[in-house]
């Protein structure tokens, strides 16, 4: 994990927030992995399993994962996935 600008307690809070949404992701064959928290407090994730290729992954990320994290950890400004498949319009 490349997270270096936050302490272990903060990372436990991040993982705790993600643990609130993980059962829903896992039910559909997916999960998330923390890659980085930037200096600007952007949480960067990797979508794993089915989440990495799902056409609804952008919606899941913003409406589910990001909202869960922002609600629990207001210091985080946004959540981004490094491997989201963009929706075709």
């Amino acid at each position: 994990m490349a997270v270096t600008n936050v302490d272990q307690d903060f990372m436990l809070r991040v993982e705790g927030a993600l643990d609130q949404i993980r059962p829903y992701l896992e039910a559909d064959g997916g999960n998330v992995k923390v890659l980085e928290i930037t200096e600007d407090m952007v949480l960067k994730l990797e979508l794993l399993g089915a989440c990495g290729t799902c056409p609804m992954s952008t919606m899941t990320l913003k409406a589910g994962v990001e909202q869960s994290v922002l609600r629990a950890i207001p210091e985080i400004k946004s959540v981004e996935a490094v491997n989201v498949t963009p929706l075709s319009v």
Side-chain angles (χ1 to χ4, degrees):
M1 194 177 326
V3 181
T4 58
N5 62 327
V6 295
D7 62 25
Q8 185 175 4
D9 289 337
F10 191 83
M11 279 308 303
L12 288 173
R13 288 175 57 207
V14 169
E15 289 293 340
L18 293 173
D19 285 346
Q20 297 300 309
I21 194 100
R22 277 193 170 109
Y24 304 103
L25 300 174
E26 290 168 347
D28 288 329
N31 206 335
V32 292
K33 174 182 167 187
V34 175
L35 296 178
E36 176 183 13
I37 298 174
T38 69
E39 294 293 327
D40 297 334
M41 297 306 283
V42 175
L43 174 60
K44 295 200 176 195
L45 302 173
E46 179 181 6
L47 299 178
L48 304 172
C51 289
T53 57
C54 176
M56 298 303 290
S57 61
T58 301
M59 182 178 288
T60 300
L61 179 71
K62 291 298 176 184
V65 177
E66 183 174 61
Q67 290 307 306
S68 180
V69 170
L70 296 180
R71 193 169 34 255
I73 309 164
E75 298 94 331
I76 297 288
K77 302 300 179 209
S78 68
V79 177
E80 298 175 1
V82 298
N83 60 331
V84 167
T85 305
L87 289 176
S88 301
V89 277

